[in-house]
Amino acid sequence: MDQAKLAASRRAAQRVTLRTVAKALGLSVTTVSRALKDGPEVNRETIDLVKKAASDLGYRPNFGGINLRTGKTHAVGVIMPFHRDGEMNIVVASLIEGFCGAIKQLGYRTTVVPQFQADDPLATVRDLVEEGTVDGVILTHTRPQDDRVKYLLEVGMPFVTFGRTELLSKHPSIDIDHEEIGAAAAARLLDAGHKAPLLVAPSSQFTYSLQFIKGWTAEFNRRNQTVPDERMFFTATTPDSGKKIAVDALAKYPGVTSAFVASDEAALGFVSGLADLGRKVGENFSILTYSGSRLHDFYNPPLSTYYFPNFVIGQRLSDLLYRSMQGEPASSLSEIVRASFVERRSEFSLR
């Protein structure tokens, strides 16, 4: 490699990344990434060239000492979104606990990468990949046309998502059947005589929120009833947001008697808002929620919930990611699991 070009590349950046190596060689980041991992789609001459350039440039993806011959770090990355300042989402925390314990048993350590509200989600993933410090990535909070997923498919980095996308390219994922939950919640409230129940869903930018809506709407349509769009609310999955929705919605619709709040943390605030308005859960207001933790058991009264433990989701993510890193095709690495219904004392019937 030309020494003048090498010196210029060293001066251009304090940390040498995949992009640095790619620019120095006039290759794509994808080719460099695959070459460092002995990808079968890259010829041996290019692999040798890339590895020599990476060594010359001082590229050190694993600060513990990556083996440039194999490209393996024996580490995986979990992108952890923080949707509110100063608080950790306990549901995401339980998922990470399940994942870390399971992947450790397979010989991998976990790097948790925080993604704050102001961060660009794609840039967070790209930086992790270009540092070369992990062999695989876990993503949550997928979107229908998820740029992070498109990028990981392009560069050939093994990954698994908690949540589906609407991309044509298959990719490893595990998801809960949120559409089934949405339909079941609508049916349960309508069967109990509640007219025009509220739906409080997560932000509509996320695929799982749209799946809740699809199931909810389908159940109304099945009964030849119109879904009142103005009674569907989208909000952050936080107690503060849930409380505000309760206060605002009941001020606008004082006759409403039920709601499906598709987040247990938002439900916590929703119940608080109902109490401030003098409404009593299970006596004159029915509420259902969806949860990946046992938080619903600690409400007063405990809430009827569609439940699947995020701890178990974390364990399944570990298995799927390991199999993806071993080269198993994406077509065999997708799972959809069903939530169970846990009946508590948060409902009453108008029949």
Side-chain angles (χ1 to χ4, degrees), residues 11 14 20 24 65 106 141 171 225 274 290 310:
R11 289 193 299 270
Q14 291 183 334
T20 311
L106 296 171
H141 296 80
H171 62 84
Q225 295 184 33
L274 291 175
Y290 157 72
N310 270 8

Side-chain angles (χ1 to χ4, degrees), residues 27 29 48 59 72 129 144 163 175 204 270 277 282 288 309 319 341:
L27 298 174
V29 173
D48 292 341
Y59 174 64
K72 301 298 183 183
V129 171
D175 202 7
S204 59
F270 196 94
L277 296 169
L288 304 174
D319 175 67
F341 183 68

